[in-house]
Amino acid sequence: MPTPNSGQGSTAIEATDLSTASGSAASGPAGAARVVARCDMLKHAPFSDSSDQLFRPFLGEAHHATILQVMNWAVQAGMTTRLDGIGNVVARYEATAPGAPAILIGSHIDSVRNAGAYDGPLGVLLGIDLVARFHSKGERFPFALEVIAFGDEEGSRFPSSMMCSRAVTGALDAEALDILDSEGISVGQALETFPRIAGQELTDHRLDQSRRSIDELVCFVEAHIEQGPLLEAIDEAIGVATSIAGQQRYQVTFCGQAGHAGTTSMLLRKDALAASAEAIQLIENVATSFGEDLVATVGQVDARPGAVNVIPGQVAFTLDIRSGDDGLRKIAAARILEGLGAIAERRGIAVDHDLVQDLPPSPCDPELIELMVEAVRKTGSSGRKMVSGAGHDTMVMSKFIPSILLFIRCLNGISHNPAESVTVEDVDQALDALEHFIRYFPYDPEQAPG
Ligand code: GLV
Ligand code: MN
Ligand code: MN
């Protein structure tokens, strides 16, 4: 049984001077209610780039506003803040001995289009409120606590996801800076034109400014809504992920021939959209044939030129394939790509597919799983272990440092949808579990990195 890390009296810590920071974390509403209220606040302008729905893509205006707001909250909770070279907010609550390695806690603040409020921000704001709890009691630990708000997990702006956690681990190649969004703006250009933040270091976007050394970090902890129905079905507030399903993403393009919708007979067409429709049906059939162990999704389709009276000459669509079983995932992908080739050949048009991401299944750290299960049990849930079908920054971080993912029940398992919902009671239980996890973390400075 690990012993508690002794909380020490707080020494004065330097707070980044942000002129809009106000209030004190300890004087706000109860922690969990505040976390939920903050997530809800981030649904709306200026924290969304869309007036009628939540959409917060990487390096957009809403992302910038959210960075400032998250930094303010982190400062109020007793942390110093900085922005790294790729736009991650990193907030630090110092250890008893300044400069000690940190337990990194966090999630992402970008969103999908028409998103719910909790996918990502909940994990960031839980981390901040957890620190506020310790700070209000003057508690410090032999390790620092750092809260990170990753800027890109979803991949909803550029056709690549988890770029920000990959930058932290050193797994993001410099070529990633050349990836283009739908407007033809590269990641590198978006970083260059991202508005500067006073007193922060987003002045040089070299990837090595974001990269961390394993010597600086103890482990990574992500808290996230489950995005599935299991916890609700077993009537538990929180659970522990043991691993995350592998996923690969492709950009598929069918190139036919644009033509006049009135004069080109059906037999003479090279319709890229009709070919894509057939391809999407094939993808669904192949995935369904694997039963419950595999899923495949076409989530975005772009048909050009996109006019009512023109036969579509070029269609690009995304393809996302996932499974907890790496072998199945690869067999399914091969079967789908072969099928796409057959459709193109039969229709006399071209097809091209680029693999834009390939993430193998990612197990969480066995020791951290048991520690988190114990923390969850202390709060009244059974410590249910589960596999995540959704992708998380934990997938990337777990290849770098020991990592763990705590799940929080969400209403009807709904996510990537504005109907996403959590209860204050469940969030409060997650805060309690995280508090227990940190307070009883078996940290041995003698064996610490560095
Ligand atoms: C992220 O939410 C993903 O699973 O794609
Ligand atoms: Mn998501
Ligand atoms: Mn997420």
Side-chain angles (χ1 to χ4, degrees):
M1 175 73 183
T3 51
N5 289 301
S6 56
Q8 304 281 317
S10 74
T11 51
I13 57 170
E14 182 199 325
T16 305
D17 180 22
L18 291 168
S19 54
T20 48
S22 63
S24 112
S27 67
R34 174 170 51 201
V35 169
V36 173
R38 286 176 171 178
C39 289
D40 291 342
M41 175 180 155
L42 294 181
K43 274 194 293 198
H44 307 289
F47 309 111
S48 169
D49 280 339
S50 172
S51 57
D52 57 351
Q53 56 176 239
L54 170 55
F55 182 41
R56 194 162 50 237
F58 180 38
L59 300 175
E61 284 180 23
H63 182 207
H64 186 261
T66 305
I67 286 171
L68 289 176
Q69 186 59 64
V70 167
M71 283 181 160
N72 282 337
W73 286 330
V75 168
Q76 290 170 34
M79 287 180 270
T80 54
T81 61
R82 68 184 174 87
L83 200 61
D84 73 9
I86 195 145
N88 296 316
V89 176
V90 186
R92 183 171 171 101
Y93 182 65
E94 196 49 88
T96 40
I103 292 185
L104 191 61
I105 305 165
S107 192
H108 59 97
I109 52 173
D110 65 319
S111 85
V112 294
R113 221 172 252 287
N114 201 18
Y118 307 101
D119 174 4
L122 181 62
V124 174
L125 299 177
L126 269 168
I128 289 175
D129 236 88
L130 179 68
V131 170
R133 274 192 182 190
F134 293 131
H135 185 55
S136 66
K137 296 179 199 157
E139 261 183 295
R140 285 181 195 275
F141 302 97
F143 43 83
L145 296 175
E146 286 192 11
V147 175
I148 188 159
F150 294 116
D152 165 69
E153 186 264 9
E154 303 284 9
S156 45
R157 174 168 179 184
F158 299 95
S160 182
S161 69
M162 299 185 211
M163 283 192 281
C164 290
S165 46
R166 285 191 280 145
V168 165
T169 66
L172 189 70
D173 298 331
E175 294 95 73
L177 297 176
D178 299 328
I179 296 174
L180 303 180
D181 69 7
S182 59
E183 310 287 310
I185 298 169
S186 70
V187 174
Q189 287 167 332
L191 283 166
E192 286 306 323
T193 53
F194 199 60
R196 297 291 177 265
I197 290 176
Q200 302 300 322
E201 292 178 9
L202 197 67
T203 52
D204 180 340
H205 306 298
R206 288 171 309 165
L207 294 182
D208 58 11
Q209 277 207 326
S210 312
R211 188 174 185 159
R212 302 296 297 263
S213 151
I214 54 170
D215 295 346
E216 304 167 1
L217 301 170
V218 179
C219 65
F220 175 66
V221 181
E222 179 164 12
H224 202 286
I225 53 168
E226 179 199 346
Q227 305 183 280
L230 182 61
L231 287 170
E232 195 170 60
I234 62 171
D235 196 20
E236 303 227 340
I238 52 178
V240 181
T242 52
S243 78
I244 304 169
Q247 57 172 263
Q248 65 217 78
R249 291 186 182 179
Y250 293 89
Q251 188 73 26
V252 179
T253 310
F254 276 98
C255 278
Q257 192 168 41
H260 198 293
T263 60
T264 317
S265 91
M266 297 310 287
L267 294 177
L268 294 178
R269 294 180 180 215
K270 293 187 188 303
D271 185 331
L273 188 53
S276 300
E278 202 181 321
I280 292 166
Q281 190 59 63
L282 169 111
I283 290 163
E284 187 180 55
N285 292 345
V286 170
T288 307
S289 72
F290 283 83
E292 289 193 349
D293 297 327
L294 185 127
V295 287
T297 306
V298 173
Q300 196 178 40
V301 180
D302 180 31
R304 304 280 167 112
V308 65
N309 56 353
V310 183
I311 298 161
Q314 179 167 321
V315 175
F317 62 83
T318 58
L319 169 60
D320 176 307
I321 308 173
R322 304 186 191 200
S323 174
D325 180 329
D326 220 22
L328 284 191
R329 186 169 67 97
K330 291 195 168 124
I331 293 168
R335 223 172 263 175
I336 288 172
L337 297 184
E338 192 185 318
L340 300 187
I343 291 168
E345 193 175 335
R346 180 163 36 77
R347 288 173 170 267
I349 66 177
V351 66
D352 194 25
H353 39 79
D354 286 333
L355 180 65
V356 289
Q357 181 158 295
D358 186 2
L359 295 169
S362 312
C364 292
D365 181 76
E367 198 184 336
L368 295 186
I369 291 172
E370 295 315 318
L371 287 171
M372 191 59 88
V373 164
E374 186 185 318
V376 167
R377 286 191 180 143
K378 288 286 178 212
T379 66
S381 289
S382 72
R384 175 66 179 239
K385 296 178 182 173
M386 49 215 295
V387 173
S388 173
H392 298 285
D393 292 298
T394 298
M395 298 180 85
V396 174
M397 298 304 294
S398 65
K399 291 174 185 58
F400 182 59
I401 50 174
S403 298
I404 186 65
L405 177 58
L406 175 70
F407 273 151
I408 297 137
R409 168 168 58 187
C410 57
L411 184 67
N412 297 326
I414 292 174
S415 183
H416 284 188
N417 184 311
E420 240 171 47
S421 178
V422 294
T423 67
V424 169
E425 291 72 27
D426 289 357
V427 171
D428 193 44
Q429 195 175 324
L431 260 176
D432 287 346
L434 291 168
E435 183 178 354
H436 187 280
F437 180 88
I438 296 297
R439 183 166 290 123
Y440 291 90
F441 191 82
Y443 180 70
D444 179 358
E446 295 303 312
Q447 289 180 9

